[in-house]
Structure formats: C-alpha cells, structure tokens
Coordinates of all heavy atoms in Angstrom, one line a residue:
M27 N 0.9 -1.1 0.0 CA 0.0 0.0 0.0 C 0.9 1.2 0.0 O 1.8 1.4 0.8 CB -0.9 0.0 1.2 CG -1.9 1.1 1.3 SD -3.0 1.0 2.8 CE -4.3 0.0 2.2
N28 N 0.7 2.1 -0.9 CA 1.5 3.4 -1.0 C 1.0 4.4 0.0 O -0.1 4.2 0.7 CB 1.6 3.9 -2.4 CG 0.2 4.4 -2.9 OD1 -0.5 5.0 -2.2 ND2 0.0 4.2 -4.2
T29 N 1.7 5.4 0.2 CA 1.4 6.4 1.2 C 0.1 7.1 1.0 O -0.7 7.3 1.9 CB 2.5 7.5 1.2 OG1 3.8 6.9 1.3 CG2 2.3 8.5 2.3
Q30 N -0.3 7.4 -0.3 CA -1.6 8.0 -0.6 C -2.7 7.1 -0.2 O -3.7 7.5 0.4 CB -1.7 8.4 -2.0 CG -2.9 9.2 -2.4 CD -2.8 9.7 -3.9 OE1 -2.0 9.3 -4.6 NE2 -3.8 10.5 -4.2
D31 N -2.6 5.8 -0.5 CA -3.6 4.8 -0.2 C -3.8 4.6 1.3 O -4.8 4.5 1.8 CB -3.3 3.5 -0.8 CG -3.5 3.5 -2.4 OD1 -4.2 4.4 -2.9 OD2 -2.9 2.6 -3.0
E32 N -2.6 4.6 2.0 CA -2.7 4.5 3.4 C -3.3 5.7 4.1 O -4.1 5.6 5.0 CB -1.2 4.4 3.9 CG -1.1 4.1 5.4 CD 0.2 3.9 5.9 OE1 1.1 3.3 5.2 OE2 0.6 4.3 7.0
E33 N -3.1 6.9 3.6 CA -3.7 8.1 4.1 C -5.2 8.1 3.8 O -6.0 8.4 4.7 CB -3.1 9.4 3.5 CG -3.7 10.6 4.0 CD -3.5 10.7 5.5 OE1 -2.4 10.3 6.1 OE2 -4.4 11.3 6.2
K34 N -5.6 7.6 2.7 CA -7.1 7.5 2.4 C -7.7 6.4 3.4 O -8.8 6.6 3.8 CB -7.3 7.0 0.9 CG -7.2 8.2 -0.1 CD -7.4 7.7 -1.4 CE -7.1 8.8 -2.5 NZ -7.4 8.3 -3.9
A35 N -7.0 5.4 3.6 CA -7.5 4.3 4.5 C -7.7 4.9 5.9 O -8.7 4.7 6.6 CB -6.6 3.1 4.5
R36 N -6.7 5.6 6.3 CA -6.8 6.3 7.7 C -7.9 7.3 7.8 O -8.6 7.4 8.8 CB -5.4 6.9 8.1 CG -4.3 5.8 8.3 CD -3.0 6.6 8.7 NE -1.9 5.6 8.8 CZ -1.7 4.7 9.8 NH1 -2.6 4.6 10.8 NH2 -0.7 3.9 9.7
E37 N -8.1 8.1 6.7 CA -9.2 9.0 6.7 C -10.5 8.3 6.8 O -11.4 8.7 7.5 CB -9.1 9.9 5.4 CG -10.1 11.0 5.4 CD -10.0 11.9 4.2 OE1 -8.9 11.8 3.5 OE2 -10.9 12.6 3.9
S38 N -10.7 7.2 6.0 CA -11.9 6.4 6.1 C -12.1 5.9 7.5 O -13.3 6.0 8.0 CB -11.8 5.2 5.1 OG -11.8 5.7 3.8
L39 N -11.1 5.5 8.2 CA -11.2 5.0 9.5 C -11.7 6.2 10.5 O -12.5 5.9 11.4 CB -9.9 4.4 10.1 CG -9.5 3.1 9.5 CD1 -8.1 2.6 10.0 CD2 -10.6 2.0 10.0
R40 N -11.2 7.4 10.3 CA -11.6 8.5 11.1 C -13.0 8.8 10.9 O -13.8 9.1 11.8 CB -10.8 9.8 10.8 CG -9.3 9.7 11.3 CD -8.6 11.0 11.2 NE -8.3 11.4 9.9 CZ -7.2 11.1 9.2 NH1 -6.4 10.3 9.8 NH2 -7.0 11.4 7.9
F41 N -13.5 8.7 9.6 CA -14.9 8.9 9.4 C -15.8 7.9 10.1 O -16.9 8.2 10.6 CB -15.2 9.0 7.9 CG -14.8 10.2 7.2 CD1 -13.9 10.3 6.1 CD2 -15.3 11.5 7.6 CE1 -13.5 11.5 5.5 CE2 -14.9 12.7 7.0 CZ -14.0 12.7 5.9
I42 N -15.3 6.6 9.9 CA -16.1 5.5 10.6 C -16.1 5.8 12.1 O -17.2 5.6 12.7 CB -15.5 4.2 10.2 CG1 -15.7 3.9 8.7 CG2 -16.0 3.1 11.1 CD1 -15.0 2.7 8.2
E43 N -15.0 6.1 12.6 CA -15.0 6.3 14.1 C -16.0 7.4 14.5 O -16.7 7.3 15.5 CB -13.6 6.7 14.5 CG -13.5 6.9 16.0 CD -12.0 7.2 16.5 OE1 -11.3 7.7 15.6 OE2 -11.7 7.1 17.7
R44 N -16.0 8.5 13.7 CA -16.9 9.6 14.0 C -18.3 9.2 13.9 O -19.2 9.5 14.7 CB -16.6 10.8 13.0 CG -17.4 12.0 13.3 CD -17.4 13.0 12.2 NE -18.2 12.4 11.0 CZ -18.0 12.6 9.8 NH1 -17.0 13.5 9.4 NH2 -18.7 12.1 8.9
D45 N -18.6 8.4 12.8 CA -20.0 7.9 12.7 C -20.4 7.0 13.8 O -21.5 7.1 14.3 CB -20.2 7.2 11.4 CG -20.1 8.2 10.2 OD1 -20.3 9.4 10.3 OD2 -19.9 7.6 9.0
I46 N -19.5 6.2 14.2 CA -19.8 5.3 15.4 C -20.1 6.1 16.6 O -21.0 5.8 17.4 CB -18.7 4.2 15.6 CG1 -18.7 3.2 14.4 CG2 -18.8 3.5 16.9 CD1 -17.5 2.3 14.4
T47 N -19.3 7.1 16.9 CA -19.5 8.0 18.0 C -20.9 8.6 18.0 O -21.6 8.7 19.0 CB -18.4 9.0 18.1 OG1 -17.1 8.3 18.3 CG2 -18.6 10.0 19.3
R48 N -21.3 9.2 16.9 CA -22.5 9.7 16.7 C -23.7 8.7 16.8 O -24.7 9.1 17.5 CB -22.7 10.4 15.3 CG -21.8 11.7 15.2 CD -22.0 12.3 13.8 NE -21.3 13.5 13.7 CZ -21.0 14.1 12.6 NH1 -21.5 13.7 11.4 NH2 -20.3 15.2 12.6
I49 N -23.5 7.6 16.4 CA -24.5 6.6 16.5 C -24.6 6.2 18.0 O -25.7 6.0 18.6 CB -24.2 5.3 15.7 CG1 -24.5 5.7 14.2 CG2 -25.1 4.1 16.1 CD1 -24.0 4.6 13.2
D50 N -23.5 6.0 18.7 CA -23.5 5.7 20.1 C -24.2 6.8 20.9 O -25.0 6.5 21.9 CB -22.1 5.5 20.7 CG -21.4 4.2 20.3 OD1 -22.2 3.3 19.8 OD2 -20.2 4.1 20.4
E51 N -24.0 8.1 20.6 CA -24.7 9.2 21.2 C -26.2 9.1 21.0 O -26.9 9.3 21.9 CB -24.2 10.5 20.8 CG -22.7 10.8 21.2 CD -22.0 12.0 20.5 OE1 -22.6 12.4 19.5 OE2 -21.0 12.4 20.9
R52 N -26.6 8.7 19.8 CA -28.0 8.6 19.4 C -28.6 7.5 20.2 O -29.8 7.6 20.7 CB -28.1 8.4 18.0 CG -29.5 8.3 17.4 CD -30.3 9.7 17.6 NE -31.7 9.5 17.2 CZ -32.2 9.7 16.0 NH1 -31.5 10.1 15.0 NH2 -33.5 9.6 15.8
I53 N -27.9 6.4 20.3 CA -28.4 5.3 21.0 C -28.7 5.6 22.5 O -29.7 5.4 23.1 CB -27.5 4.0 20.9 CG1 -27.5 3.5 19.6 CG2 -27.8 3.0 22.0 CD1 -26.4 2.4 19.3
A54 N -27.7 6.3 23.1 CA -27.9 6.8 24.5 C -29.1 7.7 24.6 O -29.8 7.6 25.6 CB -26.6 7.5 25.0
L55 N -29.3 8.6 23.7 CA -30.4 9.5 23.7 C -31.7 8.7 23.7 O -32.7 9.0 24.3 CB -30.4 10.5 22.6 CG -29.4 11.6 22.8 CD1 -29.3 12.5 21.5 CD2 -29.7 12.6 24.0
E56 N -31.8 7.8 22.8 CA -33.0 7.0 22.5 C -33.3 6.1 23.8 O -34.5 5.9 24.1 CB -32.9 6.1 21.3 CG -32.9 7.0 20.0 CD -34.1 7.8 19.8 OE1 -35.2 7.5 20.2 OE2 -34.0 8.9 19.2
E57 N -32.2 5.6 24.3 CA -32.5 4.7 25.5 C -33.0 5.6 26.7 O -33.9 5.2 27.4 CB -31.2 4.1 26.0 CG -30.7 3.0 25.1 CD -29.3 2.4 25.4 OE1 -28.5 3.1 26.1 OE2 -29.1 1.2 25.0
D58 N -32.5 6.8 26.8 CA -33.0 7.7 27.8 C -34.5 8.1 27.5 O -35.3 8.1 28.5 CB -32.1 9.0 27.8 CG -32.5 9.9 29.0 OD1 -32.6 9.4 30.1 OD2 -32.7 11.1 28.7
R59 N -34.8 8.3 26.3 CA -36.1 8.7 25.9 C -37.1 7.5 26.2 O -38.2 7.7 26.7 CB -36.2 9.0 24.4 CG -37.6 9.4 24.0 CD -37.6 9.8 22.5 NE -36.8 11.1 22.3 CZ -36.1 11.5 21.3 NH1 -36.2 10.7 20.2 NH2 -35.5 12.5 21.2
A60 N -36.7 6.3 26.0 CA -37.4 5.1 26.2 C -37.7 4.9 27.7 O -38.8 4.6 28.2 CB -36.8 3.8 25.7
R61 N -36.6 5.2 28.5 CA -36.8 5.1 30.0 C -37.8 6.2 30.5 O -38.7 5.9 31.4 CB -35.5 5.3 30.7 CG -34.6 4.1 30.8 CD -33.4 4.3 31.7 NE -32.4 5.3 31.2 CZ -31.5 5.0 30.3 NH1 -31.4 3.8 29.9 NH2 -30.7 6.0 30.0
R62 N -37.7 7.3 30.0 CA -38.7 8.4 30.4 C -40.1 8.1 29.9 O -41.1 8.3 30.7 CB -38.3 9.8 29.8 CG -37.1 10.4 30.5 CD -36.9 11.8 30.1 NE -37.0 12.0 28.7 CZ -35.9 12.3 27.9 NH1 -34.8 12.5 28.3 NH2 -36.2 12.4 26.6
A63 N -40.2 7.5 28.8 CA -41.6 7.1 28.2 C -42.2 6.0 29.2 O -43.3 6.0 29.5 CB -41.5 6.6 26.9
Q64 N -41.3 5.1 29.5 CA -41.8 4.0 30.5 C -42.2 4.6 31.7 O -43.2 4.1 32.3 CB -40.6 2.9 30.6 CG -41.1 1.7 31.5 CD -42.3 1.0 30.9 OE1 -42.4 0.9 29.6 NE2 -43.1 0.4 31.7
S65 N -41.4 5.5 32.3 CA -41.8 6.1 33.5 C -43.2 6.9 33.4 O -44.0 6.8 34.3 CB -40.8 7.1 34.0 OG -41.1 7.8 35.2
A66 N -43.4 7.5 32.4 CA -44.6 8.3 32.1 C -45.8 7.2 32.0 O -46.8 7.5 32.6 CB -44.6 9.1 30.8
V67 N -45.6 6.2 31.4 CA -46.6 5.1 31.3 C -47.0 4.6 32.6 O -48.1 4.4 33.0 CB -46.1 3.9 30.3 CG1 -47.1 2.7 30.5 CG2 -46.1 4.4 28.9
Q68 N -45.9 4.3 33.5 CA -46.2 3.8 34.8 C -47.0 4.9 35.6 O -47.9 4.5 36.3 CB -44.9 3.5 35.5 CG -44.2 2.3 34.9 CD -42.8 2.1 35.4 OE1 -42.2 3.0 36.0 NE2 -42.2 0.9 35.2
Q69 N -46.6 6.1 35.5 CA -47.3 7.2 36.2 C -48.8 7.3 35.8 O -49.7 7.3 36.7 CB -46.6 8.5 36.1 CG -45.3 8.6 36.8 CD -44.5 9.8 36.5 OE1 -45.0 10.7 35.7 NE2 -43.4 10.0 37.1
L70 N -49.0 7.2 34.4 CA -50.4 7.3 34.0 C -51.2 6.1 34.4 O -52.3 6.2 34.7 CB -50.4 7.4 32.4 CG -49.8 8.8 31.9 CD1 -49.6 8.6 30.4 CD2 -50.9 9.9 32.2
T71 N -50.6 5.0 34.5 CA -51.2 3.8 34.9 C -51.6 3.9 36.4 O -52.8 3.5 36.7 CB -50.3 2.5 34.7 OG1 -50.0 2.4 33.3 CG2 -51.0 1.2 35.2
L72 N -50.8 4.4 37.2 CA -51.1 4.6 38.6 C -52.3 5.6 38.7 O -53.3 5.4 39.6 CB -49.9 5.2 39.4 CG -48.7 4.2 39.6 CD1 -47.6 4.9 40.2 CD2 -49.2 3.1 40.5
V73 N -52.3 6.7 38.0 CA -53.4 7.6 38.0 C -54.7 7.0 37.6 O -55.7 7.1 38.2 CB -53.1 8.8 37.2 CG1 -54.3 9.8 37.0 CG2 -51.9 9.6 37.8
R74 N -54.6 6.2 36.5 CA -55.8 5.5 36.0 C -56.3 4.6 37.0 O -57.5 4.5 37.3 CB -55.5 4.8 34.7 CG -56.7 4.1 34.1 CD -56.4 2.9 33.2 NE -55.7 1.9 33.9 CZ -55.0 1.1 33.4 NH1 -54.7 1.1 32.1 NH2 -54.3 0.2 34.1
D75 N -55.5 3.8 37.6 CA -55.9 2.8 38.6 C -56.6 3.5 39.9 O -57.6 3.0 40.4 CB -54.7 2.0 39.1 CG -54.2 1.0 38.1 OD1 -54.9 0.9 37.0 OD2 -53.1 0.5 38.2
A76 N -56.0 4.7 40.3 CA -56.6 5.4 41.3 C -58.0 5.9 40.9 O -58.9 5.9 41.7 CB -55.7 6.6 41.7
L77 N -58.1 6.4 39.7 CA -59.5 6.8 39.2 C -60.5 5.7 39.2 O -61.7 5.9 39.6 CB -59.4 7.5 37.9 CG -58.6 8.9 37.9 CD1 -58.4 9.4 36.5 CD2 -59.4 9.9 38.7
L78 N -60.0 4.5 38.7 CA -60.9 3.4 38.7 C -61.3 3.0 40.1 O -62.5 2.6 40.3 CB -60.2 2.2 38.0 CG -60.0 2.3 36.5 CD1 -59.2 1.2 36.0 CD2 -61.4 2.2 35.9
K79 N -60.4 3.1 41.0 CA -60.8 2.7 42.4 C -61.8 3.7 43.0 O -62.7 3.3 43.6 CB -59.4 2.7 43.3 CG -59.7 2.3 44.7 CD -58.4 2.3 45.5 CE -58.6 1.9 46.9 NZ -57.4 1.9 47.7
E80 N -61.6 5.0 42.7 CA -62.5 6.0 43.2 C -63.9 5.8 42.5 O -64.9 6.0 43.2 CB -62.0 7.4 42.9 CG -62.8 8.5 43.3 CD -63.0 8.5 44.9 OE1 -62.1 8.1 45.6 OE2 -64.0 9.1 45.4
A81 N -63.9 5.5 41.3 CA -65.1 5.2 40.6 C -65.9 4.0 41.2 O -67.1 4.0 41.4 CB -64.9 5.0 39.1
Q82 N -65.1 3.0 41.5 CA -65.7 1.8 42.2 C -66.3 2.2 43.5 O -67.4 1.7 43.9 CB -64.7 0.7 42.3 CG -65.3 -0.6 42.7 CD -66.3 -1.1 41.8 OE1 -66.1 -1.3 40.6 NE2 -67.5 -1.4 42.2
V83 N -65.6 3.0 44.3 CA -66.1 3.5 45.6 C -67.5 4.2 45.4 O -68.5 4.0 46.1 CB -65.1 4.4 46.3 CG1 -65.8 5.1 47.5 CG2 -63.9 3.6 46.7
I84 N -67.6 5.0 44.4 CA -68.8 5.8 44.1 C -69.9 4.9 43.7 O -71.0 5.0 44.1 CB -68.5 6.9 43.0 CG1 -67.6 8.0 43.6 CG2 -69.8 7.5 42.5 CD1 -67.0 8.9 42.6
L85 N -69.6 3.9 42.8 CA -70.6 3.0 42.4 C -71.1 2.1 43.5 O -72.2 1.8 43.6 CB -70.0 2.1 41.3 CG -69.8 2.7 39.9 CD1 -69.0 1.7 39.0 CD2 -71.2 3.0 39.3
D86 N -70.2 1.7 44.4 CA -70.6 0.9 45.6 C -71.5 1.7 46.5 O -72.5 1.2 47.0 CB -69.4 0.5 46.4 CG -68.6 -0.6 45.7 OD1 -69.1 -1.2 44.7 OD2 -67.4 -0.8 46.1
R87 N -71.2 3.0 46.7 CA -72.1 3.9 47.4 C -73.5 4.0 46.8 O -74.5 3.9 47.5 CB -71.5 5.3 47.6 CG -70.8 5.5 48.9 CD -70.5 6.9 49.2 NE -69.1 7.1 49.0 CZ -68.4 8.1 48.6 NH1 -69.1 9.2 48.2 NH2 -67.1 8.1 48.5
L88 N -73.5 4.2 45.5 CA -74.8 4.3 44.8 C -75.6 3.0 44.9 O -76.8 3.0 44.9 CB -74.5 4.6 43.3 CG -74.1 6.0 43.0 CD1 -73.7 6.2 41.6 CD2 -75.1 7.1 43.4
D89 N -74.9 1.9 44.9 CA -75.6 0.6 45.1 C -76.0 0.3 46.5 O -76.6 -0.7 46.8 CB -74.7 -0.5 44.5 CG -74.6 -0.6 43.0 OD1 -75.4 0.0 42.4 OD2 -73.7 -1.2 42.5
G90 N -75.5 1.1 47.4 CA -75.8 1.0 48.9 C -75.0 0.0 49.6 O -75.4 -0.6 50.6
R91 N -73.9 -0.4 49.0 CA -73.0 -1.4 49.6 C -72.1 -0.8 50.7 O -71.7 -1.6 51.6 CB -72.0 -2.0 48.5 CG -72.8 -2.8 47.5 CD -71.8 -3.6 46.6 NE -72.3 -3.3 45.2 CZ -71.6 -3.6 44.2 NH1 -70.5 -4.1 44.2 NH2 -72.1 -3.4 43.0
T92 N -71.9 0.5 50.7 CA -71.2 1.1 51.8 C -71.9 2.3 52.2 O -72.6 2.9 51.5 CB -69.7 1.4 51.4 OG1 -69.7 2.3 50.3 CG2 -68.9 0.1 51.1
S93 N -71.6 2.8 53.4 CA -72.2 4.1 53.8 C -71.4 5.2 53.4 O -70.1 5.0 53.3 CB -72.4 4.0 55.4 OG -71.1 3.9 56.0
P94 N -71.9 6.4 53.1 CA -71.3 7.5 52.5 C -70.2 8.0 53.5 O -70.2 7.8 54.7 CB -72.4 8.5 52.2 CG -73.6 8.0 52.7 CD -73.4 6.6 53.1

C-alpha cells in the first residue's frame, strides 16, 4: 500500500470512528427517551388505577354497599 492509499484508508477510519461515536450518542439519547416514556406510562397507569378505584367506591355507594 502506498502512502496515498494509506492516508485514504486512515481518513476512512476517522470517518467511521466519527459515525460510530454519533450513533453511540444517538443510542444513548433513545435509551434515555425510552426510560422516560416507560416512567410516564407507569405514572399514567397509577393515576388511571386510582381513578378506577374512586369510581368503584362511588358505584358501591350508589348501590348501597357502603355508607357514605
């Protein structure tokens, strides 16, 4: 391999390294986004469950199963 070919090969490696670094950064961002989304889903599920529980309490009262 002559000097010019070697320099081109090294330049290609630099570009590949830069691309890999950018992809790694993107992966980290997407993983963080996924964790936040999962957390939001869990929070929404807790709120929904609390509302369902409250609705059941109200329905039970209307049916006369518990005293107000």
Side-chain angles (χ1 to χ4, degrees):
M27 184 179 271
N28 65 37
T29 305
Q30 187 177 9
D31 289 341
E32 187 176 322
E33 185 56 39
K34 284 182 182 178
R36 290 184 187 283
E37 185 177 345
S38 292
L39 286 173
R40 284 191 294 273
F41 284 122
I42 290 170
E43 182 180 21
R44 186 194 68 209
D45 290 344
I46 289 171
T47 298
R48 287 180 178 168
I49 290 170
D50 286 344
E51 290 168 353
R52 180 71 187 265
I53 288 169
L55 288 171
E56 294 300 329
E57 287 174 340
D58 187 50
R59 184 176 294 155
R61 278 190 294 276
R62 286 191 313 251
Q64 183 61 33
S65 177
V67 168
Q68 291 170 343
Q69 290 173 359
L70 289 169
T71 300
L72 290 173
V73 170
R74 183 202 59 202
D75 291 349
L77 290 171
L78 286 170
K79 184 177 179 180
E80 183 63 25
Q82 189 61 54
V83 168
I84 293 168
L85 287 170
D86 288 348
R87 262 193 252 148
L88 289 172
D89 286 344
R91 291 187 229 172
T92 59
S93 56

